[in-house]
Amino acid sequence: MLLIEKDIAIDLGTATTQVYVQGKGVALREPTVMAVDKNTGKLLKIGADAQKMLGRTPANIVAIHPISAGVISDFDMTEHLLAELIKRVTSFNLFKPRIIICVPSSITGVEERAIIDATLEAGARKVYLLETAVAAALGSGRNISRPDGHMVIDIGGGTTEVAVVSLGGIVECESIKTAGASFDEAIIRYIRRKHNVLIGQRTAEELKMRIGCVYLQKEVAFEEVKGRCLMTGLPRSVTISSNDILEAFAEPTERILEAVHMVLERTPPELVADISANGIIMSGGGSLISGIDKLVAARTGIETMVVDDPVSCAAYGAGKMLANLNDMQDGMINLARRRQMMG
């Protein structure tokens, strides 16, 4: 049996981790969560299996989210997670794979080193880093190798990346910690304040996906949610409308729009003209919130579109880069420092 070396691209997200295998496409998509027995330190489950256990387990079993705001918050657990995912996609391969990892553009040298070390420990032969915004632009089908400006807004689970990409790299960028999770928290706060009812994170996320919007809808949608009354401590149901969610989302949406304006203000005029002609592309799970593209278009005056598969866009873009691995430099390159040197 001929064993063929397969390189891997990993979009290591705060909420979801996706693994792209050369020649196969996205082979794995798992929530970035792990269930651990805190008494023994033993890892019990990872991904979807761990997520199913959340909130339904004894006190000694805790959920660990090893990635926070796109960077490692728990080194050992990240290593275990990566090792398990790599094992699942390379189980019949004798060769250690070369791996591309998507990272936020705001990553520091220390955070870079942690991601590279964890990936090498998990079984990689070489590690290459790629900014999420560049991966998203590639995944959307844009040709970023030309001296032509493209703006990407990638709203993930823990970070929102706003970047201008040209000549295969990032010209200007802003990375903020207002993203998908911030919208969930905004719903929880709003329902608590308005109805004195406490709901869980998962309920808030479902509400966001069903009736969440940031732009006034023609038809108002309603959803009934169950939570715990803070006055009595008993279960209680309340009806929430899409207009309620619109109000709840005002603050996180404004922060994202501010980041977009900041990046446009710092971008050279020639590239702003390109962006005006090319339009703005949006990716990441957060871009699925209804009306977010219309709102960005209304506030910037630039045509804005959500890519076809926003959740997997960066993973596909990183997958495209696997063909160019021989031209990439592996190991420790602080991406921000490299941009300054090029500038």
Side-chain angles (χ1 to χ4, degrees):
M1 179 177 138
L2 183 65
L3 291 169
I4 300 165
E5 180 183 356
K6 278 191 166 54
D7 296 321
I8 297 171
I10 299 177
D11 181 12
L12 194 61
T14 306
T16 309
T17 294
Q18 302 187 65
V19 182
Y20 183 105
V21 179
Q22 201 168 18
K24 279 188 183 175
V26 175
L28 272 183
R29 186 180 288 139
E30 290 280 357
T32 315
V33 63
M34 313 169 83
V36 176
D37 186 330
K38 68 176 179 186
N39 293 348
T40 62
K42 188 183 172 198
L43 176 63
L44 303 172
K45 298 278 183 189
I46 72 158
D49 293 337
Q51 198 172 47
K52 283 176 198 157
M53 295 167 76
L54 298 189
R56 298 183 173 87
T57 57
N60 62 307
I61 296 173
V62 292
I64 290 179
H65 298 269
I67 304 294
S68 174
V71 293
I72 291 176
S73 59
D74 187 319
F75 184 88
D76 292 338
M77 285 299 154
T78 303
E79 187 196 312
H80 285 311
L81 175 74
L82 287 168
E84 176 63 27
L85 296 177
I86 292 165
K87 192 172 83 180
R88 285 188 197 177
V89 295
T90 60
S91 50
F92 302 110
N93 206 332
L94 294 175
F95 298 104
K96 282 187 170 186
R98 294 183 298 176
I99 295 178
I100 289 181
I101 298 264
C102 292
V103 294
S105 46
S106 59
I107 193 167
T108 65
V110 173
E111 290 162 347
E112 259 183 49
R113 180 80 268 163
I115 283 184
I116 291 166
D117 288 349
T119 313
L120 288 169
E121 291 284 332
R125 178 159 52 98
K126 281 186 177 178
V127 182
Y128 304 81
L129 301 180
L130 179 68
E131 287 116 324
T132 304
V134 174
L138 278 166
S140 72
R142 297 283 173 107
N143 181 357
I144 61 166
S145 60
R146 299 201 306 257
D148 188 22
H150 299 275
M151 184 176 235
V152 180
I153 304 170
D154 183 81
I155 308 174
T159 52
T160 293
E161 298 270 314
V162 182
V164 175
V165 181
S166 178
L167 280 170
I170 286 178
V171 180
E172 267 306 334
C173 67
E174 190 69 38
S175 184
I176 59 170
K177 289 182 170 63
T178 301
S182 308
F183 288 102
D184 299 342
E185 285 154 20
I187 292 174
I188 294 169
R189 279 199 308 272
Y190 180 85
I191 293 174
R192 184 175 188 153
R193 191 177 68 242
K194 191 169 179 182
H195 299 283
N196 251 337
V197 169
L198 185 64
I199 63 166
Q201 194 90 28
R202 183 141 346 151
T203 306
E205 192 178 359
E206 284 168 5
L207 204 54
K208 173 181 74 177
M209 288 155 81
R210 286 195 191 126
I211 63 167
C213 64
V214 294
Y215 204 77
L216 204 57
Q217 309 282 62
K218 285 179 184 168
E219 287 181 23
V220 180
F222 294 90
E223 194 78 33
E224 190 180 324
V225 290
K226 293 183 176 72
R228 189 175 78 234
C229 178
L230 292 168
M231 308 288 281
T232 64
L234 299 172
R236 187 173 147 213
S237 294
V238 289
T239 301
I240 304 295
S241 73
S242 52
N243 285 349
D244 289 331
I245 304 291
L246 179 69
E247 194 183 322
F249 282 176
E251 193 187 336
T253 308
E254 204 54 47
R255 281 196 223 122
I256 290 170
L257 289 166
E258 275 170 23
V260 173
H261 282 134
M262 280 165 70
V263 171
L264 283 170
E265 277 170 16
R266 297 198 303 253
T267 301
E270 290 82 2
L271 290 178
V272 173
D274 292 342
I275 293 163
S276 205
N278 294 330
I280 295 170
I281 52 172
M282 296 191 73
S283 65
S287 63
L288 291 168
I289 294 171
S290 179
I292 201 156
D293 50 339
K294 287 181 188 167
L295 186 65
V296 172
R299 294 286 284 272
T300 60
I302 302 169
E303 188 186 347
T304 304
M305 58 159 282
V306 177
V307 298
D308 289 341
D309 185 354
V311 177
S312 300
C313 184
Y316 282 114
K320 283 184 180 177
M321 283 300 282
L322 291 173
N324 307 325
L325 272 189
N326 295 331
D327 304 326
M328 286 176 77
Q329 193 175 339
D330 67 310
M332 188 68 185
I333 312 169
N334 186 298
L335 303 164
R337 271 206 307 276
R338 187 182 64 196
R339 279 198 301 278
Q340 283 158 10
M341 280 156 53
M342 285 167 68

